[in-house]
Amino acid sequence: MLRSFSRANTKPEFLLQSKPRPSGGAITISLFSSAVAQNRASLTPITTTLLQKCNSLAQAKLIHQQLLVQGLYQDFTTRLVSAYLTHNAPSHSISILERLTPSTSVVFCWNTIIRRSLRLGFSHDVLSLFRMMLRVHCPPDHYTFPFVLKACGELPSFRSGAAVHAVVSTTGFDSNVFVCNALVAMYARCCELDDARQMFEEMHDKGICDIVSWNSIVAAYTQSRDAKNAVELFRIMMDDSEIHPDIVSLVNVLPACGSLGASLHGMQLHAFALRRGLFEDVFVGNALMDMYAKCRMIEQANKVFESMEVKDVVSWNVMVTGYSQAGRFEEALGLFEKMREEKIELDVVTWSAVIAGYAQKGHGYEALGVFRQMQLCGSKPNVVTLVSVLSGCASIAALLQGKETHCYAIKCVLNYDWNDPGEDLMVINGLIDMYAKCKSTNVARLMFDSVAPSDRNVVTWTVMIGGYAQHGEENDALKLFSEMLQEGNSMKPNAFTICCALMACAHLAALRFGKQIHAYILRNRYESVMLFMENCLIDMYSKSGDIHAARVVFDNMQHRNSVSWTSLLTAYGMHGYGEEAIKVLDDMRVAGFVPDGITFLVLLYVCSHSGMVDQGIRFFESMHTEYSVTPELDHYACMVDLLGRAGRFGQALEFVHSMPMEPTAIVWIALLSGCRIHGNVELGEYAAAQLQELGSENDGSYTLLSNIYANARRWRDVARVRSLMKYSGVKKRAGCSWVQGKKGTATFFVGDRSHPQFEQIYKLLADLIQRIKAIGYVPETNCALHDVDDEEKGDLLFEHSEKLALAYGILVSTPGVPIHITKNLRVCTDCHNAFTYISMIIDNEIILRDSSRFHHFKSGSCSCRGYW
């Protein structure tokens, strides 16, 4: 039985018998008998009146019975069909229609039943009724086809729609404008845009297009996110003198203008709406506001909002969302509060816009608070709401609240048969991102693996790769990126995916992999987002040790922004090329870019790592006086680091005490680091005490103080610091170095003998040490931070991870090719000294990246010039 038929309000017989209405039935029978006895001609108006006024299914059945008894059934069949439909009994109507000879009135009845099923949302029933209609040889008319085609689009079912199209062609309705418009709309809703366009072109060639035809095809392109064709078709429509765009036309094309950022065309449409008097319609006003907001013309959108005489909740939502997406969240929040004050109903779009705004600003707790208010108000969250809440949880690493949101999603959104698979995937992508940013990458990977490979979209891959890259699992990020590009996987990475992979390369200093990604970018032509990716390439090359490649990328950029210049500045500073960095700053000013707070932060970093102390002080002083940039905490920390590295401890301490804000751990660690370089025990103890008061449990601060004591040979204090670390549960990170070889990357720890070639590595290293001792190298035993004799200290220094990595690099590298080594901690003075000597006896440049900067060793000198 069809679902639309099963809803008939037919009561069981015993209920009909328990509430009999003998008077109504008696009157009905009496009227029939009297009319038949006097004159059959009077029966027609009486029967028509009875059918119109019968107020129950039982009375309709009784009239049906009397018509059969009196032999008058054939004269009132269509009226009986209408009566049964009035009392929600379509199955009775169908049983009558199946037995009737086709006529105009019979077709009308079929159309009425079909339209009823469509209105109730039973699209499958519409197709069943249409097939039934054809089976009894009742010919559809120009009203039937639009109903049936709309049902095909709502399913959507391209196969059924194409079959109906065939019936249209064979029955001669392929030139009927109403039917053809319905065909265009059906193909569009079935995502068959080429067929929709072909149908429209055929109509245009026949000269039967009307405004509905144009609106349908423009809407098809807009809904398919092909904004360019939507706008182009609208322009062609405007040139047609017989077609006059209406409210629907504007509402269809304005979103396309917004997607393209075509503000000029949108303003022309605004003027057109004012000239034609269409602006007064609230739908046009809402569409104009949305277009301006998407074109980043939020002030113009606000002018439209203020000028609208009639506003609905959509109008308010468009402005709240527009302000939120424009980064002007205070205005969005103000409108939200005004809606509350004026008792305007808040719907799911309003709540979602505010939650998303808080999440984008990193205010996760506030986002969660608004979400709770939303639930208390009885508004049901949708997919967009949940994704925004998950983003808020991710921004503050609120794993517990993220898990609660996950549970809510399982109970109320996911795994329902009627759900849109695309919406389910949006939630799953949000969950992967949340778990990854809350450092639960194992759970994130389980979520990722739960999605069938064929169902994953580019966002699914990107959030998982990005989660790995941002949380110290760069090898897994690159492995997953490689899987994405494997043959048989048709998924093409977008700009964000590629930049996440480049970030992983930068963290690992994986130059070879980074070059492969660069080649992929060039082959696949990402012109529209090239600036974004070129900035990432500069960062990757500079952090992977190839400053020259970073400069080549910069020099070949067609367009540059402030990020491009800052990235190159950072690159030169990281490699110790301070003078080159200052020249880049001059070029940046010539190009019209004004230094901002981030630029000055980079400049102070450059001066600190290049020994340009006085230049750094001048930059700091010019921030406020020349550029009206207020120094922030990070700028003060850089200045303390600059002065501490130079041994100017009096100035550094005075600087700390003159800060307009309370010094945080980052400031005291910078001072402590300077004390370690210059062996200032007293000030180092003071800085460590300040860190302890702040509750800093960073292993680096304990290690710095321990090293200061060790250099001063205060071994009891060294033991005390290490005991304190153990008591506090703070573990010192193990020193680790890795080097790129022909067959991949090799990793080494102190005294590591796990590598298959460890015997060759140690033999070569011993030979190198002997050779450089002969030309003046003396082990710096004060770098061995243990209370043992000098000979044993020398043995300990011999097994440092960076020395093992260098020996392996020499073993597997071709002479003349640079050896790239990365260390997770700061390189020790002895290893730095040894590398300087080794660079005199080998043909390879040694490029070492430690936790602080790069060192380029070549021909007995280092790029840091001893200042590091």
Side-chain angles (χ1 to χ4, degrees):
M1 180 180 289
L2 299 177
R3 286 178 294 171
S4 55
F5 303 162
S6 63
R7 293 192 169 212
N9 289 331
T10 52
K11 295 182 180 180
E13 291 297 326
F14 72 89
L15 286 179
L16 291 173
Q17 292 172 4
S18 65
K19 294 185 179 180
R21 299 189 63 182
S23 56
I27 291 170
T28 301
I29 294 170
S30 174
L31 284 170
F32 268 101
S33 300
S34 174
V36 172
Q38 294 176 12
N39 184 2
R40 294 176 67 91
S42 63
L43 189 60
T44 299
I46 292 173
T47 305
T48 302
T49 302
L50 286 172
L51 286 169
Q52 288 174 348
K53 293 187 176 182
C54 73
N55 53 18
S56 69
L57 179 60
Q59 286 188 3
K61 285 182 176 181
L62 190 58
I63 295 169
H64 189 176
Q65 180 192 51
Q66 288 301 312
L67 288 171
L68 288 170
V69 169
Q70 300 298 336
L72 302 172
Y73 171 71
Q74 294 296 330
D75 298 331
F76 297 95
T77 49
T78 55
R79 291 188 177 89
L80 270 173
V81 169
S82 298
Y84 280 130
L85 285 177
T86 301
H87 296 291
N88 204 20
S91 57
H92 293 76
S93 299
I94 293 294
S95 64
I96 294 172
L97 285 174
E98 286 182 311
R99 294 170 175 80
L100 295 181
T101 303
S103 65
T104 303
S105 58
V106 171
V107 173
F108 174 81
C109 290
W110 278 106
N111 289 345
T112 304
I113 296 175
I114 289 171
R115 182 174 57 187
R116 174 186 175 276
S117 294
L118 185 64
R119 188 184 70 249
L120 293 173
F122 299 125
S123 300
H124 286 289
D125 289 357
V126 171
L127 298 181
S128 297
L129 287 166
F130 181 67
R131 285 191 291 268
M132 200 181 298
M133 185 180 182
L134 295 177
R135 191 168 61 246
V136 297
H137 305 293
C138 184
D141 63 7
H142 60 287
Y143 292 107
T144 317
F145 287 113
F147 296 144
V148 178
L149 289 167
K150 186 176 181 182
C152 294
E154 288 183 354
L155 283 172
S157 174
F158 169 70
R159 182 178 296 179
S160 299
V164 175
H165 190 174
V167 178
V168 168
S169 299
T170 57
T171 51
F173 286 96
D174 51 351
S175 294
N176 184 282
V177 65
F178 302 109
V179 176
C180 291
N181 286 342
L183 281 165
V184 172
M186 179 274 296
Y187 281 125
R189 295 198 69 173
C190 291
C191 300
E192 298 294 336
L193 203 54
D194 291 340
D195 290 306
R197 182 62 180 265
Q198 184 180 342
M199 189 68 230
F200 174 79
E201 295 295 347
E202 289 177 6
M203 291 174 68
H204 194 267
D205 292 342
K206 293 175 183 177
I208 60 172
C209 284
D210 61 5
I211 185 62
V212 177
S213 315
W214 284 98
N215 288 346
S216 297
I217 192 63
V218 171
Y221 278 111
T222 300
Q223 290 162 8
S224 299
R225 299 183 181 180
D226 188 348
K228 187 176 179 181
N229 272 316
V231 172
E232 184 60 32
L233 274 170
F234 187 83
R235 285 175 179 160
I236 296 171
M237 178 175 72
M238 293 280 285
D239 293 338
D240 192 330
S241 58
E242 296 181 3
I243 301 296
H244 304 289
D246 58 8
I247 290 169
V248 177
S249 311
L250 290 174
V251 172
N252 282 340
V253 76
L254 282 168
C257 294
S259 299
L260 289 174
S263 55
L264 179 61
H265 193 62
M267 293 170 75
Q268 291 170 347
L269 292 175
H270 189 175
F272 174 82
L274 291 170
R275 286 198 307 271
R276 293 293 181 90
L278 302 176
F279 178 71
E280 296 176 3
D281 187 271
V282 69
F283 294 105
V284 174
N286 292 343
L288 281 166
M289 284 192 295
D290 184 62
M291 180 273 299
Y292 281 126
K294 287 177 179 174
C295 291
R296 300 183 180 180
M297 299 174 67
I298 193 65
E299 293 300 339
Q300 193 65 34
N302 189 51
K303 287 180 182 178
V304 175
F305 178 75
E306 295 295 341
S307 65
M308 289 173 65
E309 294 182 5
V310 179
K311 301 182 184 75
D312 59 10
V313 68
V314 176
S315 315
W316 289 87
N317 287 344
V318 169
M319 284 309 302
V320 171
T321 305
Y323 274 127
S324 180
Q325 292 176 345
R328 295 170 60 175
F329 187 59
E330 296 304 320
E331 288 97 327
L333 204 56
L335 280 176
F336 176 71
E337 295 301 334
K338 192 173 180 181
M339 289 177 73
R340 284 181 151 183
E341 290 171 8
E342 297 187 10
K343 307 295 183 185
I344 296 170
E345 181 184 359
L346 303 176
D347 62 11
V348 65
V349 177
T350 323
W351 291 105
S352 298
V354 175
I355 292 168
Y358 274 127
Q360 288 164 9
K361 288 178 70 68
H363 297 163
Y365 291 111
E366 289 83 353
L368 290 168
V370 174
F371 181 58
R372 292 189 189 98
Q373 292 177 39
M374 176 183 181
Q375 290 177 303
L376 290 172
C377 290
S379 184
K380 187 178 179 182
N382 62 12
V383 169
V384 176
T385 319
L386 290 179
V387 171
S388 299
V389 172
L390 289 168
S391 177
C393 294
S395 68
I396 54 172
L399 182 60
L400 178 60
Q401 289 83 351
K403 287 180 176 179
E404 290 171 351
T405 308
H406 188 178
C407 291
Y408 180 89
I410 291 171
K411 288 189 289 186
C412 301
V413 177
L414 298 173
N415 304 320
Y416 287 103
D417 292 339
W418 58 82
N419 277 7
D420 180 354
E423 292 188 349
D424 275 6
L425 188 58
M426 280 178 62
V427 176
I428 292 171
N429 290 344
L431 286 166
I432 294 170
D433 182 59
M434 182 275 295
Y435 280 117
K437 288 179 178 174
C438 291
K439 300 182 180 180
S440 292
T441 48
N442 290 337
V443 181
R445 185 56 190 260
L446 287 173
M447 295 293 299
F448 177 84
D449 291 337
S450 71
V451 182
S454 58
D455 294 335
R456 295 170 190 158
N457 61 15
V458 69
V459 178
T460 317
W461 288 93
T462 302
V463 292
M464 192 67 247
I465 292 168
Y468 279 138
Q470 292 168 6
H471 294 96
E473 299 182 51
E474 293 85 1
N475 285 310
D476 290 321
L478 296 180
K479 182 180 178 183
L480 194 60
F481 183 72
S482 298
E483 289 178 19
M484 186 180 184
L485 298 180
Q486 282 177 355
E487 290 185 17
N489 191 345
S490 59
M491 188 61 60
K492 182 181 178 182
N494 62 17
F496 294 103
T497 324
I498 291 173
C499 288
C500 287
L502 288 172
M503 184 196 309
C505 292
H507 288 170
L508 291 173
L511 182 60
R512 186 179 299 163
F513 204 121
K515 286 181 176 180
Q516 291 171 354
I517 296 174
H518 191 177
Y520 178 87
I521 293 169
L522 296 174
R523 287 197 306 271
N524 289 274
R525 305 176 66 84
Y526 284 86
E527 283 88 351
S528 61
V529 287
M530 203 61 194
L531 175 61
F532 178 54
M533 287 196 285
E534 284 171 333
N535 289 339
C536 291
L537 283 166
I538 293 171
D539 181 68
M540 182 276 295
Y541 277 121
S542 63
K543 289 180 179 176
S544 298
D546 197 340
I547 184 67
H548 304 294
R551 184 64 200 237
V552 169
V553 172
F554 179 84
D555 289 340
N556 284 282
M557 293 176 73
Q558 293 184 356
H559 304 283
R560 300 184 185 110
N561 59 12
S562 58
V563 177
S564 315
W565 289 98
T566 304
S567 298
L568 190 64
L569 272 173
T570 307
Y572 278 123
M574 196 183 303
H575 288 263
Y577 300 132
E579 294 176 0
E580 288 84 347
I582 301 303
K583 187 177 182 304
V584 170
L585 176 66
D586 294 336
D587 293 340
M588 178 181 175
R589 289 168 174 163
V590 171
F593 289 91
V594 179
D596 57 11
I598 296 174
T599 313
F600 279 107
L601 190 64
V602 172
L603 287 170
L604 293 174
Y605 169 86
V606 169
C607 294
S608 177
H609 285 76
S610 302
M612 302 165 66
V613 183
D614 295 331
Q615 180 71 67
I617 293 172
R618 284 195 293 273
F619 278 135
F620 184 83
E621 291 173 347
S622 69
M623 284 178 66
H624 185 69
T625 57
E626 295 183 31
Y627 297 96
S628 300
V629 177
T630 303
E632 296 181 0
L633 181 64
D634 288 339
H635 297 99
Y636 284 98
C638 271
M639 281 301 296
V640 172
D641 182 65
L642 174 77
L643 295 168
R645 284 176 184 273
R648 299 186 184 183
F649 293 113
Q651 285 180 270
L653 197 58
E654 183 182 342
F655 200 84
V656 171
H657 292 317
S658 66
M659 287 172 59
M661 70 282 289
E662 284 295 319
T664 61
I666 189 173
V667 175
W668 295 113
I669 288 174
L671 186 60
L672 187 60
S673 180
C675 293
R676 187 203 62 78
I677 294 170
H678 296 281
N680 191 326
V681 179
E682 184 180 352
L683 188 56
E685 289 179 324
Y686 175 71
Q690 297 301 314
L691 283 166
Q692 194 169 6
E693 280 187 23
L694 291 171
S696 174
E697 295 295 335
N698 185 287
D699 70 313
S701 56
Y702 286 103
T703 304
L704 285 171
L705 182 59
S706 176
N707 291 353
I708 291 171
Y709 285 138
N711 285 331
R713 296 183 178 274
R714 291 171 55 171
W715 302 112
R716 287 186 179 180
D717 289 320
V718 171
R720 179 174 56 82
V721 172
R722 289 177 179 173
S723 177
L724 184 60
M725 288 178 69
K726 186 176 181 181
Y727 176 78
S728 303
V730 178
K731 292 184 178 180
K732 182 181 180 297
R733 284 174 294 169
C736 172
S737 301
W738 56 96
V739 60
Q740 292 186 17
K742 293 179 179 178
K743 297 182 179 179
T745 302
T747 305
F748 297 91
F749 293 89
V750 177
D752 199 337
R753 283 175 167 76
S754 62
H755 195 278
Q757 295 176 271
F758 82 89
E759 291 182 353
Q760 294 170 267
I761 293 168
Y762 276 84
K763 183 179 179 181
L764 175 60
L765 183 57
D767 180 60
L768 290 170
I769 296 299
Q770 288 300 319
R771 290 173 65 188
I772 61 176
K773 280 182 178 180
I775 58 174
Y777 164 71
V778 177
E780 298 195 26
T781 54
N782 61 336
C783 292
L785 306 177
H786 296 274
D787 187 13
V788 294
D789 59 41
D790 285 350
E791 185 177 349
E792 192 171 344
K793 285 182 178 181
D795 294 337
L796 292 171
L797 294 172
F798 177 81
E799 296 183 341
H800 276 194
S801 64
E802 52 265 58
K803 288 192 179 81
L804 298 175
L806 175 58
Y808 175 75
I810 295 171
L811 270 177
V812 299
S813 298
T814 305
V817 175
I819 299 171
H820 292 266
I821 300 170
T822 307
K823 185 175 182 182
N824 65 333
L825 304 176
R826 186 179 182 274
V827 62
C828 80
T829 307
D830 178 71
C831 288
H832 187 277
N833 193 21
F835 278 29
T836 305
Y837 277 98
I838 291 172
S839 69
M840 298 169 66
I841 61 174
I842 64 172
D843 295 329
N844 310 78
E845 179 185 3
I846 305 167
I847 302 174
L848 170 67
R849 186 182 102 179
D850 66 8
S851 60
S852 177
R853 57 169 298 152
F854 274 90
H855 301 267
H856 295 253
F857 299 93
K858 191 172 184 180
S859 303
S861 65
C862 178
S863 59
C864 72
R865 297 186 292 275
Y867 191 87
W868 52 284

